[in-house]
Amino acid sequence: MEELLFKRGVISLIFSVPTALIFIAVNKNEPNPYMDEIFHIPQAGNFCHGNFTHWDNKITTLPGLYITSQTILSIIAFLSNNSLVELCNVQWLRFTNIIFALCCFFVLKEIILVLNVSNMSAPPRTDKNKMASDDKKSSSNNAMEKSLSKEFNIKADAMALTLLNFPLLYFFSFFYYTDVGSTCFVLLSYLLSLKKYHFFSAVSGTVAIFFRQTNVVWIFFVFANSCLEFLSAQNLTESNDRGLLQALFDVILGGLNNFWKLLLTFYPYLSVFVGFVVFVYKNNGLVVGDRTNHEVSLNFPQILYFSIFVMFFSCHLLTRYKQFVVSIKKRNIWFCILTFVAMFLMVHHFTMAHRYLLADNRHYTFYVWRKIINRSWYSRYMLIPAYFLSWMIMYNEMSKSNKKIWIFLFILCASVVLIPQKLLEFRYYIVPYILFKLHLPVSSFKELALEYFMYLLVNGFTFYMFLFKPFSWVDHSLQRFMW
């Protein structure tokens, strides 16, 4: 027990010490609202002053961030004997995202435990006919189970800490953006669904939608995954050796045969979807503010960019290249050719650039587009083999511990979220990336160390660039690099 507490104490220090130092440095070097904070912080200020009727039309998301921030700061104000208005400043509003980040840690750890508890290698159970003669062996097995449980708890802590340091999620924990809170409530909804608390899962999903409307897709993912679990428990879904079309047929048939059971069990999610449809109808669209710069598009290459993004931040998976080579050899040559053709058509006919991407040199995506994707007329086509390999590696890794129908559901939801987005924005990849990572086979401590070190290098670079490499625009305003 003492060893467990000591290891958890070390993990807590690994996160809290650098986080506290970075938070101080960010607020010292950039004490004023920066980038999108110039919209979010004044809007939160209006809520803190009780002005709920004012709305900045530049803001396109619902007011989930401001409501939850106001709630958190109200609690802090009560405990510290301060006024809410007094605490509603840049530093304290940014601090609310640190709280969301901490919540992400505990939610991530619980998801890891729930998803992997059945896969832990426990010793065989004692034969019922030999219970009397095997008491010593049983006690030995129980001790081994406890040892495995402790070891996996530590590994779950380490995996959650590593994911918490995922550069996109970690970076925006220090700024007043919607991303960390949005991710937190999506993951919480997923965790509650895995634990069969579907009403509370739907409530958390509703809050997630109030942070970002497109989270309705991930709540559909949560709902659909719950339905698959329900059908699987009744042996109504496919074994992994059957084709995808047969798997889809089995799910549809199983769903129709158990329609009323599914409805009675999962109606809270359906209430969320009905409410969302009503909102879209009344609002005459998904976006609540500036719609001219947030139009729906068919940006199919987004799903290709996502695969490269995943491989960049999961480069430790390349240590398993031998397994990948074996799996790629098993692929049908026609499947590979058709995939290449589909990717070529996506790149050729649907590559597009939002005017924000072309105009704002403060974001790294500006340089990714300019120096890699659009460097020359042929550079975008040269990336197609990388897209193909990235998706093959991703599929190979997911297929080790997930059924085909789950992989199809994940790719479908990721596509629905990403493809309509004209703007190349890495923040949109946070939730699908984390869900992808959560559903991979459990990493070894060596792989976790490699992944954590990679995240550490990227975080060190991005915070160094933000804090110590500012630059000036032609109007002499000071600007900083960020995701």
Side-chain angles (χ1 to χ4, degrees):
M1 184 66 180
E2 290 180 0
E3 182 184 0
L4 184 65
L5 290 173
F6 173 75
K7 288 180 178 178
R8 284 184 172 168
V10 171
I11 288 172
S12 299
L13 287 173
I14 289 172
F15 173 76
S16 58
V17 172
T19 299
L21 293 174
I22 293 170
F23 184 77
I24 292 168
V26 166
N27 286 285
K28 181 181 177 182
N29 285 270
E30 191 55 72
N32 300 313
Y34 184 71
M35 201 73 78
D36 288 1
E37 287 184 327
I38 63 174
F39 309 117
H40 294 308
I41 289 177
Q43 185 62 53
N46 276 284
F47 275 53
C48 289
H49 284 84
N51 182 8
F52 299 103
T53 58
H54 176 270
W55 188 260
D56 187 338
N57 279 331
K58 290 292 184 182
I59 297 171
T60 59
T61 52
L62 291 165
L65 176 64
Y66 320 123
I67 295 170
T68 52
S69 299
Q70 186 184 17
T71 304
I72 292 170
L73 292 181
S74 295
I75 295 169
I76 294 173
F78 175 78
L79 295 175
S80 62
N81 201 27
N82 289 306
S83 69
L84 173 61
V85 173
E86 202 175 14
L87 292 182
C88 200
N89 55 45
V90 176
Q91 288 72 32
W92 277 105
L93 287 170
R94 287 173 176 171
F95 181 72
T96 60
N97 268 339
I98 298 291
I99 294 174
F100 286 133
L102 287 171
C103 291
C104 280
F105 171 79
F106 294 107
V107 174
L108 284 166
K109 181 192 170 179
E110 284 301 310
I111 292 174
I112 291 164
L113 290 173
V114 171
L115 289 177
N116 294 286
V117 69
S118 61
N119 297 326
M120 291 172 61
S121 52
R125 294 178 181 177
T126 309
D127 191 324
K128 289 182 179 179
N129 297 325
K130 298 181 179 180
M131 286 182 67
S133 62
D134 288 346
D135 286 342
K136 291 183 180 180
K137 189 181 293 184
S138 178
S139 61
S140 174
N141 287 346
N142 289 335
M144 195 180 299
E145 285 178 357
K146 289 180 181 178
S147 175
L148 283 167
S149 178
K150 287 180 183 179
E151 182 181 346
F152 192 79
N153 261 280
I154 293 298
K155 180 169 277 192
D157 283 334
M159 291 169 69
L161 177 67
T162 301
L163 275 177
L164 189 60
N165 280 271
F166 168 53
L168 271 294
L169 182 66
Y170 191 67
F171 187 88
F172 286 102
S173 298
F174 299 91
F175 300 92
Y176 196 60
Y177 275 56
T178 60
D179 302 276
V180 184
S182 167
T183 303
C184 179
F185 283 103
V186 169
L187 292 175
L188 180 59
S189 177
Y190 187 43
L191 171 63
L192 291 168
S193 75
L194 292 173
K195 291 188 173 229
K196 308 296 188 291
Y197 300 129
H198 298 296
F199 174 80
F200 295 105
S201 173
V203 171
S204 180
T206 303
V207 178
I209 292 168
F210 267 81
F211 271 79
R212 184 170 288 168
Q213 292 91 301
T214 52
N215 282 337
V216 70
V217 178
W218 296 117
I219 306 312
F220 172 79
F221 169 86
V222 169
F223 160 71
N225 183 73
S226 298
C227 291
L228 290 176
E229 290 290 325
F230 179 90
L231 296 173
S232 179
Q234 300 188 37
N235 298 316
L236 295 172
T237 58
E238 98 285 4
S239 61
N240 220 24
D241 58 345
R242 301 177 75 177
L244 177 60
L245 289 177
Q246 183 62 50
L248 287 169
F249 177 78
D250 290 345
V251 168
I252 293 169
L253 186 61
L256 291 173
N257 291 335
N258 292 268
F259 177 78
W260 292 111
K261 287 183 181 179
L262 290 171
L263 182 64
L264 290 172
T265 305
F266 302 116
Y267 73 88
Y269 301 107
L270 300 179
S271 302
V272 175
F273 302 142
V274 170
F276 185 79
V277 170
V278 172
F279 155 73
V280 172
Y281 175 76
K282 292 287 186 180
N283 188 57
N284 196 29
L286 198 67
V287 178
V288 296
D290 180 18
R291 300 184 183 185
T292 57
N293 293 305
H294 294 83
E295 297 174 343
V296 174
S297 64
L298 289 177
N299 192 0
F300 286 102
Q302 281 274 29
I303 202 71
L304 305 180
Y305 306 150
F306 172 65
S307 67
I308 295 290
F309 176 89
V310 170
M311 280 300 100
F312 177 80
F313 286 108
S314 304
C315 56
H316 65 285
L317 293 177
L318 297 176
T319 58
R320 307 174 188 175
Y321 71 93
K322 289 182 180 179
Q323 301 172 15
F324 170 68
V325 169
V326 171
S327 67
I328 199 84
K329 287 180 179 178
K330 295 179 181 178
R331 299 290 172 196
N332 186 299
I333 185 65
W334 288 109
F335 169 81
C336 295
I337 292 171
L338 288 173
T339 303
F340 259 94
V341 170
M343 289 181 173
F344 175 85
L345 293 174
M346 288 180 188
V347 170
H348 184 72
H349 291 291
F350 296 98
T351 298
M352 58 187 71
H354 196 287
R355 66 186 188 89
Y356 284 175
L357 176 65
L358 302 175
D360 198 337
N361 66 343
R362 296 171 294 182
H363 292 289
Y364 293 118
T365 48
F366 172 87
Y367 302 96
V368 169
W369 174 262
R370 187 179 175 186
K371 301 291 185 181
I372 301 176
I373 299 172
N374 206 45
R375 185 179 181 88
S376 63
W377 69 268
Y378 57 83
S379 57
R380 65 186 64 177
Y381 302 105
M382 292 179 67
L383 292 170
I384 293 175
Y387 299 145
F388 175 80
L389 291 173
S390 296
W391 266 114
M392 288 300 100
I393 293 172
M394 287 174 62
Y395 183 85
N396 183 57
E397 291 299 315
M398 286 190 288
S399 63
K400 290 178 181 177
S401 53
N402 301 282
K403 293 180 179 179
K404 294 183 182 73
I405 191 70
W406 186 93
I407 299 172
F408 170 78
L409 175 64
F410 171 77
I411 295 174
L412 174 67
C413 291
S415 300
V416 172
V417 168
L418 298 178
I419 289 172
Q421 305 284 356
K422 186 175 183 179
L423 179 64
L424 173 57
E425 171 62 82
F426 291 151
R427 291 185 294 135
Y428 301 151
Y429 301 162
I430 294 175
V431 172
Y433 176 84
I434 290 177
L435 287 174
F436 167 77
K437 295 292 292 182
L438 286 170
H439 282 268
L440 296 186
V442 176
S443 300
S444 65
F445 279 112
K446 179 183 177 181
E447 288 175 328
L448 281 175
L450 286 171
E451 187 176 4
Y452 183 82
F453 182 68
M454 196 268 188
Y455 289 173
L456 193 66
L457 288 177
V458 175
N459 283 330
F461 172 80
T462 52
F463 280 111
Y464 172 78
M465 294 298 290
F466 181 86
L467 295 171
F468 305 116
K469 290 294 181 180
F471 61 98
S472 296
W473 276 353
V474 291
D475 61 358
H476 303 295
S477 60
L478 190 68
Q479 305 298 331
R480 298 178 185 276
F481 294 106
M482 67 187 302
W483 287 108

